[in-house]
PDB file of all heavy atoms in Angstrom:
ATOM      1  N   ARG O 536      14.111  19.693  -4.997  1.00 91.00           N
ATOM      2  CA  ARG O 536      14.269  21.155  -4.947  1.00 91.00           C
ATOM      3  C   ARG O 536      14.463  21.617  -3.506  1.00 91.00           C
ATOM      4  O   ARG O 536      15.278  22.528  -3.242  1.00 91.00           O
ATOM      5  CB  ARG O 536      13.076  21.840  -5.561  1.00 91.00           C
ATOM      6  CG  ARG O 536      12.972  21.707  -7.085  1.00 91.00           C
ATOM      7  CD  ARG O 536      11.947  22.654  -7.655  1.00 91.00           C
ATOM      8  NE  ARG O 536      10.615  22.374  -7.133  1.00 91.00           N
ATOM      9  CZ  ARG O 536       9.725  21.534  -7.700  1.00 91.00           C
ATOM     10  NH1 ARG O 536      10.087  20.853  -8.804  1.00 91.00           N
ATOM     11  NH2 ARG O 536       8.548  21.342  -7.185  1.00 91.00           N
ATOM     12  N   LYS O 537      13.730  21.010  -2.599  1.00 87.00           N
ATOM     13  CA  LYS O 537      13.883  21.361  -1.178  1.00 87.00           C
ATOM     14  C   LYS O 537      15.316  21.171  -0.696  1.00 87.00           C
ATOM     15  O   LYS O 537      15.862  21.967   0.059  1.00 87.00           O
ATOM     16  CB  LYS O 537      12.914  20.486  -0.349  1.00 87.00           C
ATOM     17  CG  LYS O 537      13.233  20.378   1.119  1.00 87.00           C
ATOM     18  CD  LYS O 537      13.004  21.666   1.856  1.00 87.00           C
ATOM     19  CE  LYS O 537      13.335  21.528   3.335  1.00 87.00           C
ATOM     20  NZ  LYS O 537      13.241  22.813   4.058  1.00 87.00           N
ATOM     21  N   LEU O 538      15.964  20.114  -1.165  1.00 90.00           N
ATOM     22  CA  LEU O 538      17.324  19.825  -0.764  1.00 90.00           C
ATOM     23  C   LEU O 538      18.366  20.557  -1.608  1.00 90.00           C
ATOM     24  O   LEU O 538      19.558  20.479  -1.291  1.00 90.00           O
ATOM     25  CB  LEU O 538      17.562  18.309  -0.875  1.00 90.00           C
ATOM     26  CG  LEU O 538      16.774  17.443   0.108  1.00 90.00           C
ATOM     27  CD1 LEU O 538      16.852  15.984  -0.275  1.00 90.00           C
ATOM     28  CD2 LEU O 538      17.300  17.633   1.535  1.00 90.00           C
ATOM     29  N   GLY O 539      17.918  21.215  -2.670  1.00 90.00           N
ATOM     30  CA  GLY O 539      18.873  21.878  -3.553  1.00 90.00           C
ATOM     31  C   GLY O 539      19.663  20.928  -4.417  1.00 90.00           C
ATOM     32  O   GLY O 539      20.770  21.266  -4.845  1.00 90.00           O
ATOM     33  N   LEU O 540      19.095  19.763  -4.688  1.00 89.00           N
ATOM     34  CA  LEU O 540      19.786  18.752  -5.480  1.00 89.00           C
ATOM     35  C   LEU O 540      19.507  18.931  -6.965  1.00 89.00           C
ATOM     36  O   LEU O 540      18.392  19.273  -7.338  1.00 89.00           O
ATOM     37  CB  LEU O 540      19.349  17.345  -5.078  1.00 89.00           C
ATOM     38  CG  LEU O 540      19.636  16.893  -3.642  1.00 89.00           C
ATOM     39  CD1 LEU O 540      19.053  15.499  -3.422  1.00 89.00           C
ATOM     40  CD2 LEU O 540      21.123  16.878  -3.368  1.00 89.00           C
ATOM     41  N   GLY O 541      20.509  18.708  -7.787  1.00 83.00           N
ATOM     42  CA  GLY O 541      20.291  18.645  -9.206  1.00 83.00           C
ATOM     43  C   GLY O 541      19.517  17.388  -9.549  1.00 83.00           C
ATOM     44  O   GLY O 541      19.509  16.423  -8.797  1.00 83.00           O
ATOM     45  N   PRO O 542      18.850  17.346 -10.712  1.00 73.00           N
ATOM     46  CA  PRO O 542      18.058  16.169 -11.073  1.00 73.00           C
ATOM     47  C   PRO O 542      18.851  14.893 -11.165  1.00 73.00           C
ATOM     48  O   PRO O 542      18.311  13.807 -11.010  1.00 73.00           O
ATOM     49  CB  PRO O 542      17.487  16.570 -12.450  1.00 73.00           C
ATOM     50  CG  PRO O 542      18.351  17.653 -12.968  1.00 73.00           C
ATOM     51  CD  PRO O 542      18.841  18.394 -11.746  1.00 73.00           C
ATOM     52  N   GLY O 543      20.145  15.000 -11.400  1.00 90.00           N
ATOM     53  CA  GLY O 543      20.976  13.817 -11.481  1.00 90.00           C
ATOM     54  C   GLY O 543      21.316  13.203 -10.147  1.00 90.00           C
ATOM     55  O   GLY O 543      21.947  12.147 -10.103  1.00 90.00           O
ATOM     56  N   LYS O 544      20.883  13.797  -9.040  1.00 95.00           N
ATOM     57  CA  LYS O 544      21.173  13.298  -7.727  1.00 95.00           C
ATOM     58  C   LYS O 544      19.980  12.643  -7.056  1.00 95.00           C
ATOM     59  O   LYS O 544      20.020  12.328  -5.851  1.00 95.00           O
ATOM     60  CB  LYS O 544      21.716  14.437  -6.833  1.00 95.00           C
ATOM     61  CG  LYS O 544      23.107  14.902  -7.231  1.00 95.00           C
ATOM     62  CD  LYS O 544      24.146  13.796  -7.047  1.00 95.00           C
ATOM     63  CE  LYS O 544      25.547  14.264  -7.339  1.00 95.00           C
ATOM     64  NZ  LYS O 544      26.532  13.164  -7.154  1.00 95.00           N
ATOM     65  N   THR O 545      18.926  12.452  -7.798  1.00 96.00           N
ATOM     66  CA  THR O 545      17.746  11.741  -7.285  1.00 96.00           C
ATOM     67  C   THR O 545      17.590  10.442  -8.076  1.00 96.00           C
ATOM     68  O   THR O 545      17.601  10.462  -9.306  1.00 96.00           O
ATOM     69  CB  THR O 545      16.486  12.600  -7.437  1.00 96.00           C
ATOM     70  OG1 THR O 545      16.631  13.824  -6.703  1.00 96.00           O
ATOM     71  CG2 THR O 545      15.272  11.861  -6.932  1.00 96.00           C
ATOM     72  N   VAL O 546      17.423   9.329  -7.354  1.00 97.00           N
ATOM     73  CA  VAL O 546      17.271   8.037  -7.988  1.00 97.00           C
ATOM     74  C   VAL O 546      15.784   7.849  -8.329  1.00 97.00           C
ATOM     75  O   VAL O 546      14.932   7.857  -7.430  1.00 97.00           O
ATOM     76  CB  VAL O 546      17.771   6.908  -7.089  1.00 97.00           C
ATOM     77  CG1 VAL O 546      17.589   5.554  -7.788  1.00 97.00           C
ATOM     78  CG2 VAL O 546      19.231   7.111  -6.728  1.00 97.00           C
ATOM     79  N   LEU O 547      15.501   7.666  -9.620  1.00 95.00           N
ATOM     80  CA  LEU O 547      14.150   7.510 -10.095  1.00 95.00           C
ATOM     81  C   LEU O 547      13.974   6.164 -10.800  1.00 95.00           C
ATOM     82  O   LEU O 547      14.742   5.846 -11.704  1.00 95.00           O
ATOM     83  CB  LEU O 547      13.795   8.632 -11.083  1.00 95.00           C
ATOM     84  CG  LEU O 547      13.586  10.030 -10.482  1.00 95.00           C
ATOM     85  CD1 LEU O 547      13.543  11.056 -11.606  1.00 95.00           C
ATOM     86  CD2 LEU O 547      12.295  10.069  -9.662  1.00 95.00           C
ATOM     87  N   THR O 548      12.968   5.413 -10.375  1.00 96.00           N
ATOM     88  CA  THR O 548      12.643   4.147 -11.045  1.00 96.00           C
ATOM     89  C   THR O 548      11.136   4.032 -11.327  1.00 96.00           C
ATOM     90  O   THR O 548      10.689   3.017 -11.850  1.00 96.00           O
ATOM     91  CB  THR O 548      13.069   2.935 -10.193  1.00 96.00           C
ATOM     92  OG1 THR O 548      12.359   2.991  -8.947  1.00 96.00           O
ATOM     93  CG2 THR O 548      14.557   2.951  -9.929  1.00 96.00           C
ATOM     94  N   ILE O 549      10.391   5.070 -10.993  1.00 94.00           N
ATOM     95  CA  ILE O 549       8.930   4.989 -11.085  1.00 94.00           C
ATOM     96  C   ILE O 549       8.463   4.679 -12.487  1.00 94.00           C
ATOM     97  O   ILE O 549       7.443   4.003 -12.683  1.00 94.00           O
ATOM     98  CB  ILE O 549       8.298   6.287 -10.523  1.00 94.00           C
ATOM     99  CG1 ILE O 549       6.764   6.132 -10.416  1.00 94.00           C
ATOM    100  CG2 ILE O 549       8.667   7.482 -11.375  1.00 94.00           C
ATOM    101  CD1 ILE O 549       6.113   7.276  -9.708  1.00 94.00           C
ATOM    102  N   GLU O 550       9.186   5.159 -13.488  1.00 93.00           N
ATOM    103  CA  GLU O 550       8.737   4.948 -14.870  1.00 93.00           C
ATOM    104  C   GLU O 550       8.894   3.498 -15.297  1.00 93.00           C
ATOM    105  O   GLU O 550       8.277   3.054 -16.269  1.00 93.00           O
ATOM    106  CB  GLU O 550       9.513   5.847 -15.845  1.00 93.00           C
ATOM    107  CG  GLU O 550      10.974   5.486 -16.018  1.00 93.00           C
ATOM    108  CD  GLU O 550      11.877   6.074 -14.962  1.00 93.00           C
ATOM    109  OE1 GLU O 550      11.366   6.582 -13.931  1.00 93.00           O
ATOM    110  OE2 GLU O 550      13.114   6.045 -15.143  1.00 93.00           O
ATOM    111  N   ARG O 551       9.674   2.701 -14.566  1.00 92.00           N
ATOM    112  CA  ARG O 551       9.849   1.291 -14.891  1.00 92.00           C
ATOM    113  C   ARG O 551       9.100   0.378 -13.908  1.00 92.00           C
ATOM    114  O   ARG O 551       8.605  -0.684 -14.302  1.00 92.00           O
ATOM    115  CB  ARG O 551      11.322   0.929 -14.886  1.00 92.00           C
ATOM    116  CG  ARG O 551      12.119   1.573 -15.997  1.00 92.00           C
ATOM    117  CD  ARG O 551      13.571   1.168 -16.000  1.00 92.00           C
ATOM    118  NE  ARG O 551      14.285   1.619 -14.807  1.00 92.00           N
ATOM    119  CZ  ARG O 551      14.667   2.867 -14.586  1.00 92.00           C
ATOM    120  NH1 ARG O 551      14.362   3.815 -15.462  1.00 92.00           N
ATOM    121  NH2 ARG O 551      15.335   3.208 -13.517  1.00 92.00           N
ATOM    122  N   HIS O 552       9.041   0.763 -12.663  1.00 92.00           N
ATOM    123  CA  HIS O 552       8.460  -0.118 -11.649  1.00 92.00           C
ATOM    124  C   HIS O 552       7.075   0.316 -11.184  1.00 92.00           C
ATOM    125  O   HIS O 552       6.391  -0.450 -10.501  1.00 92.00           O
ATOM    126  CB  HIS O 552       9.356  -0.182 -10.384  1.00 92.00           C
ATOM    127  CG  HIS O 552      10.738  -0.696 -10.678  1.00 92.00           C
ATOM    128  ND1 HIS O 552      11.862  -0.305  -9.983  1.00 92.00           N
ATOM    129  CD2 HIS O 552      11.171  -1.592 -11.607  1.00 92.00           C
ATOM    130  CE1 HIS O 552      12.892  -0.920 -10.467  1.00 92.00           C
ATOM    131  NE2 HIS O 552      12.533  -1.701 -11.433  1.00 92.00           N
ATOM    132  N   ALA O 553       6.659   1.552 -11.501  1.00 95.00           N
ATOM    133  CA  ALA O 553       5.464   2.161 -10.933  1.00 95.00           C
ATOM    134  C   ALA O 553       5.621   2.328  -9.415  1.00 95.00           C
ATOM    135  O   ALA O 553       6.750   2.234  -8.899  1.00 95.00           O
ATOM    136  CB  ALA O 553       4.220   1.347 -11.289  1.00 95.00           C
ATOM    137  N   ASN O 554       4.540   2.541  -8.737  1.00 96.00           N
ATOM    138  CA  ASN O 554       4.589   2.677  -7.270  1.00 96.00           C
ATOM    139  C   ASN O 554       4.475   1.292  -6.652  1.00 96.00           C
ATOM    140  O   ASN O 554       3.391   0.700  -6.624  1.00 96.00           O
ATOM    141  CB  ASN O 554       3.435   3.578  -6.801  1.00 96.00           C
ATOM    142  CG  ASN O 554       3.427   3.793  -5.286  1.00 96.00           C
ATOM    143  OD1 ASN O 554       4.119   3.124  -4.554  1.00 96.00           O
ATOM    144  ND2 ASN O 554       2.632   4.740  -4.842  1.00 96.00           N
ATOM    145  N   THR O 555       5.588   0.788  -6.145  1.00 96.00           N
ATOM    146  CA  THR O 555       5.605  -0.547  -5.542  1.00 96.00           C
ATOM    147  C   THR O 555       5.597  -0.492  -4.023  1.00 96.00           C
ATOM    148  O   THR O 555       6.017  -1.425  -3.347  1.00 96.00           O
ATOM    149  CB  THR O 555       6.816  -1.354  -6.040  1.00 96.00           C
ATOM    150  OG1 THR O 555       8.017  -0.590  -5.774  1.00 96.00           O
ATOM    151  CG2 THR O 555       6.717  -1.670  -7.501  1.00 96.00           C
TER     152      THR O 555
END
Side-chain angles (χ1 to χ4, degrees):
R536 289 192 299 271
K537 161 69 181 174
L538 293 167
L540 297 177
K544 290 297 184 180
T545 299
V546 180
L547 287 168
T548 61
I549 188 171
E550 69 276 12
R551 292 182 297 284
H552 300 149
N554 181 347
T555 55

